[in-house]
Amino acid sequence: MVDERTQSRRVGDAMLDPRVIDPGQEVVDYAALSDDEIAEIVLLLTAIRTWREHEQRLMLESRDHMQLNESDMKALRFLVAAKGQGRLVTPGMITEHLGISSAATTKLLDRLEYAGHIARAPHPSDRRALAITITQSTHEQVRDTVGRTHARRFAAAARLTSAERDVVTRFLGDLSGIEPEPGPADALTGAIPLPIPAVPPTASPDSPATGGPRP
């Protein structure tokens, strides 16, 4: 007997199949594709969804472990990258990187400093600015969580040939250029937003951070 989790997954997978979600081809034009080609595309989209869910789970686990919200984690990853490049970071650079206001950046830095994740100091060459650095213990935590995940991604990309990497890069670039139009189906199934462009047969396929001292 098939359990409910398996049945739920099968229904979710079917929601990526245009023959199921759009049998009248009112949104997705797949008339030129064979059933085998459609199945290959659905398998690819399912793999993308599975990867996206895995990435989201890892990010949530990392944020929960460090008691941080998304903007806090982005700021810390930025500080790790800057440290690796030997660059000094100012509050203005963090504002620009996160796309938030100066006031929001100040509050973010207050939270991170109070929790022991960063330190503020006078900028060595600009008396009007501050230099923001990540503490060693937090640097190690971020490196071990985010860095190890990135290492696995890098290894997966390294296993591809140059031609395969080029295909994947162009495909992901095409996906990034699609303006999403989320609807109820996306919220319920996690499906890739429609419309999905038809592929010719010849084509290659924020809750606030918890304050207080760290234990």
Side-chain angles (χ1 to χ4, degrees):
M1 181 177 180
V2 180
D3 61 32
E4 291 183 346
R5 182 176 180 180
T6 300
Q7 292 187 55
S8 177
R9 172 58 67 177
R10 288 178 179 175
V11 172
D13 291 346
M15 293 299 289
L16 295 173
D17 191 330
R19 295 167 297 187
V20 174
I21 195 68
D22 186 28
Q25 300 190 54
E26 297 175 17
V27 178
V28 186
D29 180 7
Y30 51 89
L33 300 174
S34 69
D35 284 344
D36 286 344
E37 289 171 320
I38 294 174
E40 290 173 353
I41 294 170
V42 171
L43 185 63
L44 175 57
L45 295 179
T46 301
I48 292 173
R49 187 189 63 184
T50 300
W51 169 76
R52 184 175 63 179
E53 291 173 347
H54 178 67
E55 289 286 292
Q56 289 172 338
R57 187 167 59 251
L58 285 176
M59 286 190 293
L60 286 173
E61 289 174 355
S62 178
R63 285 166 45 188
D64 290 346
H65 174 69
M66 297 184 69
Q67 298 184 321
L68 300 169
N69 65 33
E70 185 175 358
S71 294
D72 297 337
M73 281 300 296
K74 285 182 178 179
L76 292 179
R77 288 196 294 268
F78 183 72
L79 288 167
V80 168
K83 183 176 180 178
Q85 298 173 12
R87 295 178 181 271
L88 283 175
V89 174
T90 65
M93 291 168 64
I94 294 176
T95 297
E96 178 68 24
H97 177 68
L98 298 180
I100 60 179
S101 68
S102 297
T105 298
T106 298
K107 291 180 181 179
L108 179 148
L109 295 177
D110 287 344
R111 291 196 303 270
L112 294 180
E113 185 176 41
Y114 182 72
H117 295 306
I118 66 159
R120 290 171 164 125
H123 195 283
S125 60
D126 185 352
R127 282 194 266 178
R128 299 170 301 173
L130 292 172
I132 311 300
T133 57
I134 188 169
T135 61
Q136 183 61 29
S137 60
T138 297
H139 180 275
E140 291 172 359
Q141 287 186 70
V142 175
R143 182 197 60 200
D144 290 346
T145 54
V146 179
R148 292 181 193 279
T149 300
H150 178 67
R152 289 193 292 269
R153 295 193 202 106
F154 189 91
R159 287 193 291 269
L160 301 176
T161 65
S162 293
E164 289 170 335
R165 285 192 285 270
D166 182 60
V167 169
V168 173
T169 299
R170 286 189 287 108
F171 170 69
L172 294 177
D174 287 344
L175 285 190
S176 298
I178 298 174
E179 288 296 328
E181 296 180 5
D186 300 315
L188 292 172
T189 68
I192 302 296
L194 295 175
I196 302 169
V199 180
T202 56
S204 301
D206 224 275
S207 63
T210 301
R214 290 163 56 197

